[in-house]
Amino acid sequence: MDQTNDTATARRVQISARGGRADIEIEGTRIDPSAVKAYSVSHFAGERPEVLLHVADRGDTQWSGLARVAVADLPDPGPAAAVFLDAIDPEALERAALARPDLGTEPYSLTKAMLTQLVEWARGL
């Protein structure tokens, strides 16, 4: 990756984010929101900011123009999920799920409570 600090290769990017939606423009050209599934912005001291666009569907998406581009695939969550689930104490999970105030009486409510509990633990709640 080119690490030069040449401002001639920099492009103007504007991101207007509202809730779960973001409008992205590169050099004044609006990018179709359905073409991008995620973006990240990073800026290290002494370097230019970088915007990374995660393309939603490479099959029909066309990009044109000049830019320093990095396309990233999101990592497979399976291995990390397997490590997380392997570390769960089944007894602690069952106790936590049975103690939940949102535990219902409908079919599969215990399974739903356990899954909700796992999501909260995964998020550090």
Side-chain angles (χ1 to χ4, degrees):
M1 185 177 274
D2 178 22
Q3 293 297 323
T4 64
N5 205 9
D6 179 13
T7 57
T9 60
R11 301 291 176 243
R12 183 178 174 277
V13 177
Q14 180 174 333
I15 300 173
S16 302
R18 290 175 298 283
R21 177 187 157 95
D23 293 321
I24 302 172
E25 290 184 11
I26 300 175
E27 291 291 317
T29 301
R30 185 173 181 270
I31 304 300
D32 178 3
S34 67
V36 177
K37 66 180 173 181
Y39 68 89
S40 59
V41 179
S42 61
H43 186 198
F44 295 97
E47 296 181 20
R48 285 191 314 254
E50 291 186 354
V51 176
L52 176 62
L53 302 177
H54 299 266
V55 180
D57 180 8
R58 294 184 194 151
D60 296 332
T61 304
Q62 294 184 3
W63 300 81
S64 63
L66 301 173
R68 185 169 73 178
V69 175
V71 177
D73 287 325
L74 295 177
D76 178 10
V83 169
F84 170 75
L85 293 171
D86 192 46
I88 298 297
D89 175 356
E91 184 181 345
L93 175 58
E94 187 171 309
R95 270 195 320 268
L98 289 171
R100 293 184 62 84
D102 59 349
L103 177 62
T105 58
E106 64 275 358
Y108 312 110
S109 61
L110 180 58
T111 302
K112 181 179 177 183
M114 287 181 166
L115 291 171
T116 302
Q117 187 65 48
L118 288 170
V119 168
E120 289 178 3
W121 283 349
R123 291 184 175 150
L125 302 175

